[in-house]
Amino acid sequence: MKLLVTGGAGYVGSVTSRLLLDAGHEVVVLDNLRTGFRQAVAPGATFVEADIADAARVLTPDAGFDAVLHFAGLIAAGESMAKPELYWHENMVKSLALLDAVRAARVPRFIFSSTAAVYGNPVELPITESAIKAPTSTYGSTKLAFDLALTSETFAHGLAAVSLRYFNVAGAYISDGHEIGERHDPETHLIPITLQVAAGKREKLQLFGDDYPTTDGTCVRDYIHVEDLARAHLLALDATVAGEHRIYNLGNGNGFSNRQVVEAAREVTGAAIPVEIAPRRDGDPATLVASSARARDELGWTPRKNTLADMIGDAWTFYRKHVA
């Protein structure tokens, strides 16, 4: 198929682009490089430096695109609370412009990079796709709003759409001399920050709260390797059905505590990784773990790299070579 990948210079989008190319698809990457990296764009992909608001320049009716995979957007939940207008504009207004271009060009399939943030503080665990949606951040709200827009689009115009709701993405793509990993600025995710401490770029690691009702008192989160996540997008392309909006949670199904992440990082890196316990952050749930049963049953998707050693090991390989 001929595919447009928005945000294909970013972390998940660039890894997915490589797997799509390996599968024989033609890939066009659209990215404004605001948070992405030109060198992360998969060799073999056509690169267009542009904003998704201008996607109609690429998605013309005669361009022959078979699908759009939409990764572009802003992802920092904390920043979204301080700059809500920015997140609504970037994640919703511009995504609606992209959807207009998709409709005008008669592109039949659409895969959306959604998030577990749409669920907020869960009432039941593990979290299923039918769980209550009550996002606690503007970021989560913008993603949920576009999910709803996709549902309307499929009903009214026959689009075949799939939303993939990620939990915590980790690891790096390591294959044939190519490495793609996480390098956000500023960095807010636990594993990359832990590796910064291991590499001596930070003095210590802060863990926010050690009095949660978990096995060791620290928050528990569901981590998924970026390669496993990328594979799910290829499976989703084959699972699209005209007039339907299908939604799948993507997680490991096994939670890891913050202390377990630190211990695994110490084993992988051989570094001491000093830790300081800080007060809880407002809005942090004790445990977030996904049920990915629907993705397993309907997509045939199963995580292959599902241990912390797998994820942190690949992330450390990337970090030492490209970031540190």
Side-chain angles (χ1 to χ4, degrees), residues 31-56:
D31 199 301
N32 63 11
L33 299 183
R34 177 174 181 169
T35 57
F37 298 86
R38 178 65 181 86
Q39 61 268 37
V41 175
T46 300
F47 177 62
V48 178
E49 185 174 350
D51 197 277
I52 59 170
D54 301 317

Side-chain angles (χ1 to χ4, degrees), residues 51-57 59 70 89-105 110 146:
D51 197 277
I52 59 170
D54 301 317
R57 289 168 36 196
L59 285 173
H70 181 30
H89 186 71
E90 294 291 326
N91 289 358
M92 188 59 184
V93 175
K94 289 186 177 181
S95 291
L96 288 176
L98 172 65
L99 200 55
D100 287 341
V102 166
R103 187 186 319 112
F110 196 99
F146 190 68

Side-chain angles (χ1 to χ4, degrees), residues 22-34:
D22 289 344
H25 298 297
E26 179 184 352
V27 175
V28 178
V29 168
L30 180 75
D31 199 301
N32 63 11
L33 299 183
R34 177 174 181 169

Side-chain angles (χ1 to χ4, degrees), residues 12 30 33 54 97 156 169 185 221-222 225 274 286 290 294-295 320:
V12 181
L30 180 75
L33 299 183
D54 301 317
V169 189
D185 185 20
R221 295 293 182 265
D222 194 335
H225 196 288
R294 180 182 291 178
R320 283 183 298 171

Side-chain angles (χ1 to χ4, degrees), residues 9-206:
Y11 178 35
V12 181
S14 58
V15 175
T16 304
S17 295
R18 285 185 183 270
L19 297 191
L20 290 168
L21 288 163
D22 289 344
H25 298 297
E26 179 184 352
V27 175
V28 178
V29 168
L30 180 75
D31 199 301
N32 63 11
L33 299 183
R34 177 174 181 169
T35 57
F37 298 86
R38 178 65 181 86
Q39 61 268 37
V41 175
T46 300
F47 177 62
V48 178
E49 185 174 350
D51 197 277
I52 59 170
D54 301 317
R57 289 168 36 196
V58 179
L59 285 173
T60 59
D62 59 351
F65 282 97
D66 297 294
V68 170
L69 292 90
H70 181 30
F71 298 92
L74 301 179
I75 64 170
E79 180 187 53
S80 77
M81 300 304 288
K83 302 176 180 179
E85 67 285 355
L86 174 64
Y87 274 68
W88 281 110
H89 186 71
E90 294 291 326
N91 289 358
M92 188 59 184
V93 175
K94 289 186 177 181
S95 291
L96 288 176
L98 172 65
L99 200 55
D100 287 341
V102 166
R103 187 186 319 112
R106 299 183 297 278
V107 179
R109 303 173 187 85
F110 196 99
I111 311 297
F112 178 48
S113 171
S114 191
T115 174
V118 302
Y119 299 112
N121 295 314
V123 176
E124 296 181 355
L125 293 170
I127 301 170
T128 65
E129 291 83 356
S130 61
I132 295 171
K133 285 76 176 171
T136 56
S137 67
T138 302
Y139 162 65
S141 296
T142 62
K143 290 288 195 174
L144 178 59
F146 190 68
D147 270 340
L148 295 173
L150 274 181
T151 299
S152 298
E153 188 76 15
T154 59
F155 177 79
H157 300 292
L159 182 67
V162 173
S163 289
L164 300 174
R165 289 178 176 159
Y166 312 167
F167 282 66
N168 292 49
V169 189
Y173 173 89
I174 310 291
S175 179
D176 298 328
H178 298 292
E179 298 91 15
I180 307 172
E182 198 168 5
R183 49 167 126 194
H184 301 118
D185 185 20
E187 187 56 74
T188 59
H189 296 158
L190 177 60
I191 289 177
I193 291 174
T194 302
L195 297 182
Q196 289 175 0
V197 178
K201 301 297 182 181
R202 292 188 185 223
E203 180 182 349
K204 59 191 174 184
L205 173 69
Q206 281 191 320

